[in-house]
């Protein structure tokens, strides 16, 4: 390879890397530094809803619907399954996830679901159900299959992929802290332990047991001295994307209420906490806001929240009504809204084929991330937002060619 060819390729890689870090290519070409780096909230990614979910067997579905009086609820609402977290990351390009959490400090609380008792079936055999620690499932007793039973196990799988791909855009992990389901509780299901101060502290501790501080973005990383968390986000902004690469952000899905109040007790700006709460704008802890419905007047509301500086999550579909209707209005609105996290149950071609549909949610530009359509940050290039493993391998190959050329 000639030096001129190498120089051209090196410049191309340099421009791509600078764009990924938020530096306009023109500024690099002129040898000038960017005025302001691209920030982590100025991109958009696709995430999965109920990312761990696997379907019940046919017999369990019948038992499930019998609890609700025999209406065909399961097949109409819950008949979808997700790939493993690793495959969602590596093959589907998901960069957002949702995990439903249940406290289980002693272990075994959810190991013998009500449906299996009614079918005279044995308890669940995976030993993970019997180990102490927070569990990941949709509904205790009624919808319980999961690709990773314990929260720590799910997080270890995310971290393993993250460590192998350190140039990824920040992963957004939404956590819904669940309680006893009214229907299951009324017919003899387990009583879920409360999300009180000790269990919330245990949640933070479980996350920190997997991720080092420099692998997380927490409220303490965003809040500035003398300002509330909300003031810090709106006045000073989120961290630069180049600082956020390879890190994970945890978000609380629960609406403002007793759980978030317990989580913020004595910590109005989430001092020392891991999760960003789903808060009402105007609250000291408001940095993340959930707006699941993106259509109608909500579309402009989400855009305004994003432009103001909040991190927003919305949903492109409700399983399975959106898919069966064939109406893509909600999906198009979700993508156009600028919500940084757009969650779906159909992130891959073929997942909806069982319903004779080709519904799939993906970024129009392809890839795992794109420049935020509501913000249109200057100098941003969607194709170079994430430094993938393939790109790093190409850079190493290029370096080896250069070494050979010098011989």
């Amino acid at each position: 390879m000639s030096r001129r060819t190498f120089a051209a390729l090196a410049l191309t890689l340099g421009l791509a890397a600078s764009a990924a870090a938020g530096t306009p290519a023109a500024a690099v070409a002129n040898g000038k530094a960017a005025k302001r780096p691209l920030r982590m909230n100025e991109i958009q990614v696709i995430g999965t809803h109920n990312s761990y979910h696997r379907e019940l067997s046919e017999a369990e579905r019948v038992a499930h619907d019998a609890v609700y009086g025999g209406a065909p609820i399961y097949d109409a609402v819950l008949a979808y399954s997700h790939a493993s977290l690793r495959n969602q990351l590596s093959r589907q390009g998901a960069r957002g996830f949702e995990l439903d959490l249940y406290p289980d400090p002693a272990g075994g609380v959810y190991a013998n679901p009500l449906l299996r008792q009614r079918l005279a079936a044995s308890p669940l055999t995976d030993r993970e159900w019997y180990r102490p620690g927070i569990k990941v499932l949709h509904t205790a007793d009624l919808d319980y299959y999961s690709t990773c039973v314990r929260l720590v196990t799910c997080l270890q799988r995310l971290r393993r992929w993250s460590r192998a791909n350190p140039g990824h855009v920040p992963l957004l992990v939404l956590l819904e802290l669940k309680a006893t389901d009214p229907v299951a509780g009324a017919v003899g299901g387990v009583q879920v332990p409360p999300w009180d101060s000790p269990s919330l502290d245990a949640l933070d501790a479980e996350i920190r047991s997997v991720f080092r501080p420099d692998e997380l973005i927490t409220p303490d990383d965003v809040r500035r001295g003398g300002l509330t968390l909300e003031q810090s986000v709106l006045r000073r902004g989120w961290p630069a994307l180049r600082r956020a690469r390879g890190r994970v952000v945890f978000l609380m899905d629960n609406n403002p209420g007793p759980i978030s109040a317990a989580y913020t007790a004595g910590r109005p700006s989430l001092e020392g906490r891991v999760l960003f709460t789903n808060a009402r704008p105007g609250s000291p802890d408001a940095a993340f806001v959930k707006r699941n419905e993106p259509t109608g007047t909500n579309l402009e509301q989400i855009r305004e929240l994003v432009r103001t500086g909040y991190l927003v999550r919305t949903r492109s579909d409700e399983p399975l009504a959106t898919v069966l209707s064939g109406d893509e209005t909600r999906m198009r609105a979700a993508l156009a809204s600028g919500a940084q996290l757009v969650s779906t149950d159909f992130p891959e071609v073929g997942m909806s084929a069982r319903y004779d549909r080709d519904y799939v949610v993906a970024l129009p530009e392809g890839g795992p991330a794109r420049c935020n359509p509501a913000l249109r940050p200057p100098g941003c290039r969607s194709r170079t937002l994430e430094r993938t493993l393939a790109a790093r391998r190409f850079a190493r190959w290029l370096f080896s060619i250069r070494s050979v050329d010098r011989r």
Side-chain angles (χ1 to χ4, degrees):
M1 179 183 290
S2 69
R3 290 186 177 182
R4 177 175 295 179
T5 302
F6 176 82
L9 281 170
L11 177 61
T12 300
L13 285 176
L15 295 179
S18 67
T23 304
V28 175
N30 293 327
K32 300 177 181 177
K35 293 182 179 179
R36 184 180 66 78
L38 184 68
R39 297 186 184 274
M40 58 170 281
N41 64 308
E42 295 180 319
I43 66 174
Q44 185 180 64
V45 300
I46 300 297
T48 51
H49 165 252
N50 291 348
S51 309
Y52 56 87
H53 189 258
R54 289 288 173 87
E55 297 168 51
L56 297 177
S57 69
E58 287 297 328
E60 288 166 313
R61 294 183 194 203
V62 172
H64 173 279
D65 291 349
V67 172
Y68 290 90
I73 294 175
Y74 199 90
D75 285 346
V77 178
L78 298 171
Y80 62 91
S81 293
H82 281 296
S84 66
L85 297 180
R86 187 185 71 173
N87 279 328
Q88 291 179 48
L89 284 159
S90 61
R91 295 181 178 273
Q92 298 177 354
R95 296 296 180 264
F97 302 90
E98 181 183 1
L99 305 176
D100 291 334
L101 308 185
Y102 286 80
D104 191 8
V109 170
Y110 314 104
N112 191 19
L114 178 67
L115 296 189
R116 297 186 67 82
Q117 295 178 42
R118 291 191 169 193
L119 292 170
S122 62
L124 297 166
T125 57
D126 190 331
R127 295 179 65 181
E128 292 274 270
W129 289 107
Y130 301 90
R131 298 179 64 183
I134 297 168
K135 300 301 186 294
V136 177
L137 64 153
H138 186 232
T139 308
D141 284 301
L142 300 179
D143 191 27
Y144 35 80
Y145 289 125
S146 175
T147 61
C148 47
V149 173
R150 289 196 308 146
L151 173 62
V152 167
T153 303
C154 298
L155 300 185
Q156 288 170 341
R157 294 175 183 177
L158 291 176
R159 184 177 187 265
R160 193 174 300 123
W161 181 90
S162 177
R163 295 273 290 175
N165 298 271
H168 66 77
V169 298
L171 305 181
L172 306 178
V173 182
L174 195 66
L175 303 178
E176 183 173 358
L177 283 52
K178 290 205 161 181
T180 302
D181 180 82
V183 175
V187 293
V190 300
Q191 296 300 307
V192 175
W195 285 104
D196 52 17
S197 181
S199 61
L200 292 170
D201 291 344
L203 170 58
D204 279 359
E206 287 201 18
I207 296 172
R208 293 189 189 277
S209 75
V210 176
F211 292 99
R212 301 192 314 253
D214 63 347
E215 295 171 335
L216 297 170
I217 296 175
T218 68
D220 287 346
D221 297 317
V222 177
R223 193 180 57 257
R224 306 299 182 92
L227 300 177
T228 67
L229 179 60
E230 183 184 52
Q231 290 169 343
S232 300
V233 166
L234 302 190
R235 298 180 189 179
R236 304 294 295 275
W238 290 85
L241 180 60
R242 63 173 178 249
R243 285 186 52 214
R245 291 189 183 284
R247 298 194 181 199
V248 184
V249 183
F250 287 92
L251 311 167
M252 183 183 289
D253 182 66
N254 301 70
N255 290 327
I259 293 178
S260 60
Y263 195 71
T264 58
R267 310 166 187 251
S269 286
L270 297 169
E271 293 85 350
R273 286 301 195 187
V274 176
L275 277 62
F276 291 85
T277 49
N278 167 28
R280 295 185 181 92
S283 304
D285 57 323
F288 163 65
V289 180
K290 183 181 71 173
R291 291 289 185 271
N292 282 346
E293 175 54 66
T295 59
T297 59
N298 291 337
L299 176 58
E300 191 52 43
Q301 290 178 9
I302 293 175
R303 285 175 174 163
E304 184 59 29
L305 287 167
V306 170
R307 290 167 182 156
T308 301
Y310 299 101
L311 200 68
V312 182
R313 181 259 194 158
T314 194
R315 289 180 62 181
S316 57
D317 43 80
E318 287 274 2
L320 298 164
T322 307
V323 172
L324 296 176
S325 71
D327 186 353
E328 297 185 351
T329 302
R330 178 171 179 157
M331 177 184 71
R332 291 193 294 270
L335 292 171
S337 71
Q340 291 87 351
L341 175 57
V342 177
S343 296
T344 180
D345 285 296
F346 299 90
E348 183 60 275
V349 172
M351 292 181 69
S352 61
R354 62 194 284 191
Y355 304 108
D356 194 27
R357 298 290 189 273
D358 285 319
Y359 182 87
V360 62
V361 179
L363 298 175
E365 296 85 350
R370 70 166 175 170
C371 305
N372 194 293
L375 297 175
R376 301 185 183 277
C380 183
R381 302 290 183 271
S382 292
R383 293 183 179 181
T384 56
L385 283 174
E386 185 162 287
R387 297 169 184 170
T388 62
L389 180 60
R392 298 202 308 278
R393 287 174 175 169
F394 177 74
R396 288 197 295 268
W397 170 82
L398 189 60
F399 180 79
S400 68
I401 292 297
R402 181 187 183 189
S403 300
V404 170
D405 189 47
R406 286 179 170 178
R407 293 176 184 174

